[in-house]
Amino acid sequence: MLFTVSATFSDFSMGYEQYEADGPAAALIMFLSRAESLSRYEPALRQLACRSDGHDLLHVAGGIRGLWIWHLMTPLEPDDIALYGGTVIQTDADGPLRAAPVA
């Protein structure tokens, strides 16, 4: 399925990438490990962020293709520009509809 991953930085610049992935978690890991907008960040810290305890991913939209928000549990802050987190959007029109999250 096709996913679009976005990131917001502390200087309020943004990064966007699209990936073919099995799910939103896989798309986020691809972003954290491959995104050109993260090239200034230490590779070892990026790999820590890829671990399941290095980020948090929360499904927030139901009845549509899927929207998740994410943030890091591992800080990435070179040159005083932190990575806050972002979104993962299922942009594959043929992908499954997602059930509403349980509160």
Side-chain angles (χ1 to χ4, degrees):
M1 283 181 287
L2 183 64
F3 292 89
T4 302
V5 182
S6 74
T8 301
F9 300 90
S10 62
D11 66 353
F12 296 102
S13 61
M14 304 274 305
Y16 294 93
E17 303 250 349
Q18 286 191 314
Y19 300 99
E20 284 287 339
D22 292 334
L28 177 57
I29 289 170
M30 287 179 187
F31 179 83
L32 292 171
S33 60
R34 301 180 190 174
E36 185 177 331
S37 61
L38 300 182
S39 63
R40 67 188 306 167
Y41 294 85
E42 179 67 40
L45 289 177
R46 289 173 63 181
Q47 288 307 311
L48 286 175
C50 289
R51 294 175 21 161
S52 62
D53 61 348
H55 62 272
D56 196 15
L57 183 65
L58 176 67
H59 184 223
V60 294
I64 59 173
R65 298 285 184 260
L67 170 66
W68 295 261
I69 56 172
W70 64 272
H71 71 280
L72 293 178
M73 307 302 279
T74 300
L76 296 178
E77 299 184 18
D79 303 327
D80 298 327
I81 300 176
L83 172 57
Y84 287 153
T87 61
V88 179
I89 302 169
Q90 181 181 319
T91 47
D92 189 333
D94 295 325
L97 292 176
R98 309 284 177 167
V102 177

